[in-house]
Amino acid sequence: MKAILAANSALAAVLSIVLAIGRQISIGLMGLMVLVILIQVFFRYVMNSALPWPDEAARFMMLWLTGLVAPSAYRWGGFVAIEMLPQMLPKKLGALLAFFLLILAGLVLYTAIGLGWNHVNSGWLFNSSSLKIPLDLIGMGVVRIKLAWMYMSLFVGVCLLFAVNIELILRALLTFAGYEDELPVITQDEMLGAE
Amino acid sequence: MLVWFLPLFLVFLMVGLPVFFGLLAAPGILLWLNGQERDLALLYRNVYNGMDSFPLMAIPFFMLAGEMMNRGGITMRLVEFSQACVGHLKGGLAQVNILSSMLFAGLSGSAVADTSALGSMLIPAMEKEGYTRKFAAAITAASSVIGPIIPPSGIMIIYAYVMGESVAALFLAGIVPGVLVGVGLMMMTSYLAKGADFPVSRPRATWSEKGQASLKAFFPLLTPVIILGGILGGVFTPTEASAVAVAYALVVSLFILRSMTMKDLPNVLLKAALTSSVVLLLVGAAMAFKTVVSLSHAPEALAAYILSLSDNPLLLLFLINLLLFIVGMFLDAGPAIIILGPILAPIFTDLGIHPVHFAIIMSVNLTVGLATPPMGLVLFVASSVSGEKVEAIAKAILPFLAIEIAVIFLITYVPSISLFMPRLFGFIN
């Protein structure tokens, strides 16, 4: 159990840093999404000439925002669930049920990682319809962005969710074994670490 | 065999598996057992495709605009405006609570935001005036369900996306039902005020006081006008309108009302990002789930069962309202719409119920579920804001729930309540 406790602490420390970085990036993406759509509104209605890229760029950012910040929400317990039965059960039985549910969630995420990897790889074959890096401005050719970069958002999100799920499994195991008091605390303040 | 995904999903849900995983695990396991591994890849791709949507972007933007408007001063201005309008009535603060919820609904579209913003201000004020704490918490929770009914509304955007309806038509269709719920709650409060001798909050406001309160609330109250006016006037798409609402909320909160500082901005952005990410993942999973719904022919089997109960659409609507009400007791409106919409809506559309009408029946019914025990989310929020026990609030809310149930049936059997506004603006025939 001591080894599991140490593994959980190490994973918790790594996740705290990685997810905090994800949250900081998502704050920027959220602001940029608004800006990009407002630029489109300006060009469409004021200049009467819609730009080709803002809609897809905003979707690109929304997908990455979801992939980077949803694992934080999961870690905090923000995923919608009916928790009546686990709460009604005796403590040990409730912890056992929570453990099995986490294993099931882990299997879903493990399968999704494999499927996500294939999905990302298929994306290297296709270009985005409107997103490109305008290297022609510095005398080089235009580089069209591959769809794989968009597909990667969900894949990264699923990988992070899987890592969070492992941490939650370890926590459930340790809680079941009576080590609840020694677990690192995950607080909402940590979630809102951007403040 | 695939048809068993629905019971399996319900089992997963009842034992406490998060809805996101349940939506993927139940069909995934059956596809795997059926040897349809290729469809598992389809399931994953549809999660991605379900999230990769421009109209869906309105959800994070409206959440962000609501978060900005939710900060301090704006709620206070809406309450002051409501006090100038109805504070002189018997049970004045209770009436103020309801009217403020109706006005707040035009800014945020979230029942939880409404309960926490208005509850933290009005519940202590009502207690000071002699109302019981449980009554103050109950009226706050009951009136907060107006939030997702009057536009802008997160659940209407989800419904429109999942079912391929027009967001503008649903927004318009929600206005009259939302006002009806508010007026019904006010009438019940007036009735209760006579028996319980509730106090008046203040003397009738003079025209000058009303003018001042209106002026102070002018900028927040302009938000729904910009959103709906922009969409209905054909100026913006709903997504663009939501981004404009964010820009407007930012300017009003930062520079005009100064209810927010630049320092607050990262936290506001993060809160909106966190909430939206969960909703977006759910919508993605629901779109994947919808694929399996079609593959399994479950709607056809369910439709045959429902039609075997009766061929009278009015009776079937009554039964479906009962089902939705029970579901709403346990599940939030958003996930419930995502799960049940694709299954139930086609059945009732085939029976001749207008899709927009059915959308409103479903949305209002499931939204009222937010305030019903045992799992009503706003009951828990009202409990944490007021410090009153959930059981006590659940008992005190019963007269208001009765009104809301009456409105649900009114909406169900008088379609023009929902269809009048979208018809007026030419969004439906």
Side-chain angles (χ1 to χ4, degrees), chain A residues 27-45:
Chain A
I27 289 171
L29 289 175
M30 190 73 163
L32 273 176
M33 271 164 65
V34 179
L35 190 68
V36 160
I37 296 298
L38 290 176
I39 289 173
Q40 179 68 314
V41 170
F42 177 79
F43 272 87
R44 182 174 291 165
Y45 301 110

Side-chain angles (χ1 to χ4, degrees), chain B residues 24-321:
Chain B
L24 299 174
I29 289 172
L30 291 172
L31 284 172
W32 179 68
L33 287 175
N34 240 13
Q36 292 172 264
E37 274 90 4
R38 196 178 282 185
D39 287 328
L40 277 178
L42 184 71
L43 205 65
Y44 178 90
R45 277 165 199 251
N46 281 348
V47 175
Y48 175 86
N49 292 336
M51 285 161 49
D52 183 17
S53 148
F54 186 70
L56 215 53
M57 212 178 294
I59 291 177
F61 288 166
F62 278 131
M63 280 180 178
L64 184 55
E67 275 292 336
M68 285 175 179
M69 287 286 186
N70 202 1
R71 296 266 152 175
I74 291 175
T75 315
M76 173 68 92
R77 280 159 201 258
L78 292 181
V79 170
E80 282 173 3
F81 175 75
S82 304
Q83 260 200 318
C85 294
V86 294
H88 62 280
L89 300 174
K90 206 157 189 211
L93 261 191
Q95 304 283 18
V96 166
N97 199 326
I98 300 165
L99 184 60
S100 300
S101 283
M102 290 165 77
L103 299 174
F104 200 83
L107 309 179
S108 92
S110 154
V112 172
D114 183 312
T115 310
S116 59
L118 290 172
S120 53
M121 190 180 301
L122 284 173
I123 294 173
M126 286 178 76
E127 267 195 279
K128 214 179 273 177
E129 283 203 359
Y131 295 86
T132 60
R133 187 184 290 182
K134 62 182 176 188
F135 178 83
I139 191 75
T140 306
S143 61
S144 71
V145 302
I146 302 169
I149 304 174
I150 289 180
S153 157
I155 59 165
M156 302 267 187
I157 295 168
I158 293 174
Y159 190 100
Y161 176 61
V162 175
M163 297 308 301
E165 297 296 336
S166 148
V167 175
L170 293 193
F171 274 10
L172 280 168
I175 296 175
V176 181
V179 172
L180 260 182
V181 173
V183 171
L185 292 178
M186 287 178 120
M187 284 165 64
M188 174 53 85
T189 304
S190 291
Y191 172 75
L192 292 174
K194 279 179 198 156
D197 199 25
F198 289 156
V200 291
S201 173
R202 50 163 295 162
R204 185 185 284 272
T206 62
W207 282 107
S208 135
E209 284 170 332
K210 279 182 186 165
Q212 276 180 355
S214 308
L215 211 63
K216 276 176 130 181
F218 176 76
F219 286 107
L221 289 178
L222 207 59
T223 316
V225 178
I226 293 172
I227 296 170
L228 274 185
I231 297 172
L232 301 180
V235 183
F236 312 126
T237 62
T239 306
E240 288 169 348
S242 61
V244 171
V246 172
Y248 178 75
L250 187 70
V251 171
V252 169
S253 336
L254 274 182
F255 304 113
I256 300 175
L257 303 181
R258 295 171 195 272
S259 54
M260 195 175 81
T261 63
M262 283 301 274
K263 234 178 100 184
D264 298 327
L265 201 54
N267 193 30
V268 169
L269 287 165
L270 180 60
K271 270 190 166 180
L274 274 167
T275 324
S276 336
S277 70
V278 176
V279 177
L280 291 170
L281 272 185
L282 264 180
V283 173
M287 294 309 270
F289 188 78
K290 204 178 151 187
T291 320
V292 185
V293 169
S294 320
L295 283 174
S296 68
H297 303 288
E300 289 89 332
L302 201 64
Y305 173 71
I306 289 176
L307 291 172
S308 73
L309 296 174
S310 165
D311 54 1
N312 181 350
L314 300 181
L315 180 65
L316 290 178
L317 277 174
F318 176 81
L319 294 175
I320 220 65
N321 266 316

